[in-house]
Amino acid sequence: MTAPLLVVCALVPEVWALRGGDWSGAYGGPAVLARTGMGRRRARRSAGALLAAGGYGALVVAGFGAAVGPGTEPGDVIVADAVRDSDGGFHPLESAPALVKVLEGYGLTVHTGLHHTADHVVRGAERHALHAAGALAVDMEAAAVLAARAELRPELPAAVLRIVVDTPERELIRPRALPAGVRAWRALRSVVPALTEWHRQATAPAPSTELHPQPSTLPQEAS
């Protein structure tokens, strides 16, 4: 039996953006959208409770993020091929090539690379230092979510993507970042069909000729 996709975000606006996407291709039942809250501690606690309850076919960490190097624009998608944190945690993600291929098939601009999960908002020279150390994007939750997965559901297919909302040249503290935020919102909503297709590819059993009724695909939110 297939199980639904679990999508975790840090913030309410990220959940709202995703909820407005096209979930008609949802696989395994309506996707579950959950907000963890900001920061590694909250993300670990929330993700751990969700994963301990079970019943999910795949896990996606999605939301807005910051690019730490040149070559990206607000609204671009950055898919993690690995996530690290400042404590030495490291989580490789074999899902990256398949997810990138699906996203590009929907016409999205996609970059692939290492995500760094920090314990604070990263700006200025610190972003340049992270880029010099190999990172492409920075957030404050992904490594903690993946640590919970490694402990509780290591077999669960997982992916991490961030929509670029600010870059070293366009930090959120600057007024011109507002249009970038609008582009990022629209881009996050537009990734939904790619997420459902990736989930299907990652978890679908062999094709069957048996017919089944089609359930609702509208996403639900975890409490």
Side-chain angles (χ1 to χ4, degrees):
M1 182 178 178
T2 57
L5 175 67
L6 172 62
V7 183
V8 297
C9 309
L11 304 173
V12 169
E14 295 168 332
V15 174
W16 289 346
L18 287 165
R19 173 166 281 281
D22 178 9
W23 291 96
S24 61
Y27 180 71
V32 176
L33 307 181
R35 181 178 66 88
T36 65
M38 288 184 63
R40 289 161 55 185
R41 181 176 299 179
R42 291 175 179 171
R44 178 67 181 262
R45 181 173 61 246
S46 297
L50 288 162
L51 293 172
Y56 304 109
L59 167 68
V60 172
V61 183
F64 305 125
V68 298
T72 58
E73 296 291 335
D76 287 0
V77 186
I78 301 181
V79 173
D81 57 14
V83 178
R84 72 180 181 204
D85 62 37
S86 55
D87 296 327
F90 186 79
H91 307 275
L93 289 165
E94 298 178 355
S95 63
L99 181 56
V100 168
K101 184 176 180 180
V102 175
L103 287 163
E104 289 179 338
Y106 282 92
L108 295 163
T109 300
V110 187
H111 310 268
T112 311
L114 175 68
H115 280 41
H116 179 89
T117 295
D119 57 7
H120 60 280
V121 176
V122 175
R123 295 193 177 100
E126 192 174 0
R127 288 196 187 190
H128 295 293
L130 288 175
H131 180 61
L136 189 59
V138 61
D139 68 13
M140 296 175 61
E141 296 83 27
V145 174
L146 294 178
R149 166 187 172 258
E151 178 183 350
L152 298 167
R153 294 287 307 278
E155 79 291 348
L156 194 68
V160 173
L161 68 84
R162 294 295 181 187
I163 305 299
V164 176
V165 69
D166 67 328
T167 68
E169 300 80 16
R170 298 182 179 87
E171 291 192 343
L172 283 174
I173 58 175
R174 300 178 181 179
R176 63 178 177 172
L178 181 58
V182 173
R183 287 197 296 273
W185 172 286
R186 291 172 177 167
L188 183 56
R189 184 174 56 190
S190 72
V191 304
V192 168
L195 296 183
T196 61
E197 185 174 334
W198 170 80
H199 176 212
R200 181 182 298 273
Q201 292 179 5
T203 61
S208 171
T209 57
E210 185 178 356
L211 297 178
H212 299 278
Q214 296 298 312
S216 170
T217 58
L218 295 176
Q220 52 188 324
E221 292 186 27
S223 58

